[in-house]
Amino acid sequence: MFLEALGSALLGLALAWAAAHRLPHRLPARSLVLSTGVAGALLGAFLTHSALGTGHFLVMLVGAVAVSAALLSLLLRPAERFRRRSATA
C-alpha cells in the first residue's frame, strides 16, 4: 500500500511538473500546480484501489494519472489570443 501511494504521488508530481514546465503562461502558481498534481494522483489511487482491491498495481497507477490530469486540466486558463472583448468595453 505504501509503494502504491508513493508511486502514484511521484507520477502525479511528474505530470504536474511537465504541465507547469510546458504551459507556464496558462497555469497559476507552480506550487499550486504541483500540489494539485500530487493530490489528484493520491485521490485517483485511492479511488481505483477502493474499486478494484489489491493486486492491480498498474491499473491503479493509470487511475491515479487520469484523475491527476483531470484536476490539472481544471487549473488551465484560456489563452490570451482567444479572449474576446465585450462590445461595451
Side-chain angles (χ1 to χ4, degrees):
M1 181 83 178
F2 176 73
L3 290 177
E4 292 175 350
L6 182 64
S8 63
L10 288 176
L11 279 175
L13 184 64
L15 183 67
W17 179 83
H21 182 70
R22 180 125 171 114
L23 301 166
H25 58 284
R26 294 189 59 196
L27 288 169
R30 186 177 293 260
S31 60
L32 177 66
V33 173
L34 295 177
S35 61
T36 301
V38 172
L42 289 173
L43 178 66
F46 173 72
L47 290 174
T48 309
H49 182 80
S50 297
L52 298 177
T54 58
H56 301 283
F57 183 69
L58 292 177
V59 177
M60 189 219 40
L61 290 179
V62 170
V65 168
V67 173
S68 180
L71 284 179
L72 286 172
S73 73
L74 294 175
L75 294 177
L76 285 174
R77 292 180 286 204
E80 291 294 324
R81 63 181 172 176
F82 294 122
R83 282 196 186 164
R84 296 183 193 176
R85 294 187 179 241
S86 66
T88 59

